[in-house]
Amino acid sequence: MAGIADVAARAGVSKATASRALSGSGYVSDVTRTRVRHAADELGYVPSTSAVSLATGRTQNIGVVMPYVNRWFFAEVLEGIQQSLLERGLDLTLYDAKPGTEGRARIFDDFLARGRFDGLIAVGLEPVDHELERLTRIGRPIVSIVGASSDTSVIAVDDDYAARRATEHLIALGHRDIAFVGGAPESHWAHVDQERLAGYRHAMREAGLAEYVRHAHSEVTMPGGYAAAVDLLGDARRRPTAIVGVCDEVAIGAIIASRRLGIQVPFALSVVGIDDHEFADMFALTTLQQLPREQGIAAVEVLLAEVADPERAPTTLRIPSRLVVRNSTAAPLASASTGE
Amino acid sequence: MAGIADVAARAGVSKATASRALSGSGYVSDVTRTRVRHAADELGYVPSTSAVSLATGRTQNIGVVMPYVNRWFFAEVLEGIQQSLLERGLDLTLYDAKPGTEGRARIFDDFLARGRFDGLIAVGLEPVDHELERLTRIGRPIVSIVGASSDTSVIAVDDDYAARRATEHLIALGHRDIAFVGGAPESHWAHVDQERLAGYRHAMREAGLAEYVRHAHSEVTMPGGYAAAVDLLGDARRRPTAIVGVCDEVAIGAIIASRRLGIQVPFALSVVGIDDHEFADMFALTTLQQLPREQGIAAVEVLLAEVADPERAPTTLRIPSRLVVRNSTAAPLASASTGE
């Protein structure tokens, strides 16, 4: 079987260059990469990663554990991580750990303990205590996206700030009766929901609107936001003039519900979200932007730095969101805003 | 370090049972599984998969390659695959191969050639010729979800049938001016789009409506369907009375567009999709149901059978979709249906 030396000879480059061209680590010009790949092709050369593993003690593999892959935020993060790992020639092993499932228990009990990765990225995992204990036993670097941790690196938007800005935007437009929609006390994704709820409450209190504070619970999905908004908006006498959605999916669900109920957005109801979801533009949704793909890329960078230097101090990155004003928010109607 | 014998002794079961309980292969009662895991925990036992690999020549890992993870269909398939692999104690390595990207080239050139998996599931991959040539060189079983192949196993809905049924449903309601929205000749996901377009054309021709056949191109996403529908519906004189969306996301985009344009669904416009997307219910969308999660689970079953017996003949599974009638389709208005 052809070795790297044969490939290098055929391509007319050094072994080190051939190795770089094939492994994707380190700079090689496109022309050289093509030539080396062509030579490898002709010779039927396949790089042996088990040899790499034995030499470096590394698996060339990064584990990613997340509770959902079929939600926008998680899928975007995953794409960012994947893109970044691909560029570095690293594999991605995915663990889909839905809260409260047997599958999740097995991931924590068996899969993670195997340690078939050099490091782990945990996205919105919200581990409970015994899960946390498992994670610390892995003995490999961990970076969290979303969530709070003092022990591992964390990359996340500043959730309190985002909800505060969203609420302040509505207050500045003249709204007072502003409801917060989404999340529940028993939510599995409690940290984010609670931080955002806290940001909303904070902004309301600061503006002297504590009496208007109300939280409509909902599943943190578009259908969840839809259902909660149908309830919330159904009674015209108790209808708020504005809604802060815990995320864009919930906010969009509320917009769809208000269209169904014949409530015009933004004239009769303002809605603001947090995310800048791929559908935000289609629904003209005003929102606080977070860039999940960039968070995924940043997580890979931090994690690989920790793999290279296990003594590295944890990084905490709290990203402030940017307000994107579209057409779902406006000043309240005079009749709606003055109930006195 | 504790071995499997120590775990078995502590749990009071045979080594074979302890092994089954920890590996997840073969039946073990929940009580026994819990007892064995508890014993493994107390002893700090971690099953060695590299030992398994050496003994069996297998990696205990399945590769999954797909062009998107952030679209409903792909994310659902991925969840089905993951769930099924988890139950069997197998890892999942994900390759996100976006068409036309450098990342995709690297997956085919480097990652797949490494062969760090026992088998591969290719979801909606639509490989071009040189990619196909790479795939055949891997020398491991491959199962495709979506797409056509004579060499490997394929699991897919019958796309032609689904679009035909969707179109026939509209024709039965009395529609004649029915447009097909979504996809493009140059689409990277050409096979599915073309099959569905063919099914629509077939139904139209059979009903003597060939003169009404028209195809509005669009990106196969919700915003894509929205944009195409704004164009298609903008001119009232050339407006169709019904739309077949190439998939639910495109159909929902069209519904959102018609609401924006003040066109009432289903009274002034009927819309039917293909998928039964998680949002279909929220938009009351009539659709042809496919169950991507089930397709993922079926793919794992077929693949593992092929891993166990590499001589096994390829399986082709074409699943007929079921029509789910909701509130987005109705008989056309008399004025719209009789242009004579």
Side-chain angles (χ1 to χ4, degrees), chain B residues 127-183:
Chain B
V128 295
D129 284 350
H130 75 268
E131 292 175 343
L132 204 57
E133 193 257 334
R134 293 275 176 171
L135 287 175
T136 55
R137 270 213 247 159
I138 294 172
R140 300 242 185 341
I142 299 177
V143 173
S144 300
I145 296 181
V146 183
S149 167
S150 47
D151 301 333
T152 66
S153 291
V154 177
I155 290 163
V157 289
D158 186 332
D159 292 296
D160 179 285
Y161 173 86
R164 205 144 25 102
R165 285 285 291 123
T167 311
E168 285 167 359
H169 168 66
L170 294 168
I171 293 169
L173 287 168
H175 293 275
R176 293 186 298 163
D177 192 354
I178 303 166
F180 185 89
V181 178

Side-chain angles (χ1 to χ4, degrees), chain B residues 75-97:
Chain B
E76 288 289 310
V77 166
L78 186 57
E79 292 220 350
I81 293 171
Q82 172 92 66
Q83 179 192 324
S84 190
L85 292 177
L86 268 184
E87 282 168 11
R88 293 170 166 85
L90 299 170
D91 273 342
L92 184 168
T93 296
L94 180 68
Y95 302 101
D96 181 0

Side-chain angles (χ1 to χ4, degrees), chain A:
Chain A
M1 207 177 128
I4 189 74
D6 305 306
V7 174
R10 188 166 194 117
V13 299
S14 70
K15 263 176 68 176
T17 301
S19 173
R20 275 206 308 279
L22 293 171
S23 73
S25 52
Y27 176 76
V28 179
S29 76
D30 284 350
V31 174
T32 303
R33 187 186 309 272
T34 306
R35 202 163 69 226
V36 171
R37 282 199 184 148
H38 203 73
D41 259 22
E42 288 173 343
L43 296 168
Y45 171 79
V46 173
S48 164
T49 49
S50 55
V52 173
S53 268
L54 284 170
T56 63
R58 292 192 189 145
T59 64
Q60 306 294 315
N61 187 36
I62 296 298
V64 176
V65 54
M66 42 173 61
Y68 312 98
V69 296
N70 62 349
R71 291 193 186 171
W72 174 80
F73 178 83
F74 295 93
E76 288 288 313
V77 166
L78 186 56
E79 291 221 350
I81 293 171
Q82 172 92 66
Q83 179 193 324
S84 190
L85 292 177
L86 267 185
E87 283 167 10
R88 292 169 166 86
L90 299 171
D91 272 342
L92 184 167
T93 296
L94 180 69
Y95 302 103
D96 180 3
K98 293 224 173 325
T101 61
E102 167 74 4
R104 178 159 173 138
R106 301 192 61 179
I107 285 173
F108 280 93
D109 290 354
D110 305 335
F111 284 75
L112 296 183
R114 283 187 199 163
R116 299 175 81 175
F117 42 76
D118 299 329
L120 188 70
I121 300 176
V123 189
L125 199 59
E126 298 269 340
V128 296
D129 285 351
H130 75 267
E131 292 175 342
L132 205 57
E133 193 257 333
R134 293 275 175 170
L135 286 176
T136 55
R137 269 213 247 161
I138 294 173
R140 301 245 184 338
I142 299 177
V143 173
S144 299
I145 296 182
V146 183
S149 168
S150 48
D151 301 333
T152 66
S153 291
V154 177
I155 290 163
V157 289
D158 186 333
D159 292 296
D160 180 284
Y161 173 85
R164 205 143 27 101
R165 286 284 291 123
T167 312
E168 285 167 0
H169 167 66
L170 295 168
I171 294 169
L173 286 169
H175 292 276
R176 293 185 300 163
D177 191 354
I178 303 167
F180 185 89
V181 179
E186 67 279 16
S187 166
H188 287 293
W189 203 20
H191 179 74
V192 170
D193 298 352
Q194 282 169 15
E195 284 289 300
R196 293 183 183 177
L197 182 59
Y200 154 76
R201 285 206 171 109
H202 187 97
M204 292 293 278
R205 270 198 311 272
E206 278 216 330
L209 301 174
E211 64 184 300
Y212 289 103
V213 165
R214 49 176 161 156
H215 176 202
H217 296 173
S218 91
E219 204 191 299
V220 184
T221 62
M222 212 174 284
Y226 175 82
V230 165
D231 280 352
L232 181 68
L233 304 172
D235 181 350
R237 289 163 306 177
R238 294 203 12 87
R239 189 179 295 160
T241 67
I243 284 176
V244 176
V246 71
C247 67
D248 278 6
E249 291 178 56
V250 164
I252 290 170
I255 290 178
I256 295 168
S258 49
R259 285 183 188 167
R260 273 284 177 93
L261 296 168
I263 300 165
Q264 276 207 294
V265 174
F267 310 109
L269 181 76
S270 284
V271 179
V272 56
I274 297 172
D275 270 343
D276 205 21
H277 189 283
E278 59 174 325
F279 300 160
D281 200 41
M282 189 163 62
F283 287 92
L285 181 67
T286 297
T287 190
L288 273 290
Q289 181 178 60
Q290 66 170 324
L291 300 167
R293 191 177 293 254
E294 309 305 318
Q295 293 177 45
I297 292 168
V300 169
E301 274 168 26
V302 170
L303 185 67
L304 294 183
E306 294 185 3
V307 168
D309 173 14
E311 301 305 312
R312 199 171 188 270
T315 303
T316 298
L317 203 63
R318 288 271 167 213
I319 306 159
S321 318
R322 193 171 68 83
L323 177 68
V324 180
V325 178
R326 296 198 181 88
N327 216 1
S328 68
T329 48
L333 292 175
S335 61
S337 67
T338 58
E340 295 98 333

Side-chain angles (χ1 to χ4, degrees), chain B residues 197-216:
Chain B
L197 182 59
Y200 154 77
R201 284 206 172 112
H202 187 98
M204 292 294 276
R205 268 198 312 272
E206 278 216 332
L209 300 174
E211 64 185 299
Y212 290 103
V213 166
R214 48 176 162 157
H215 176 202

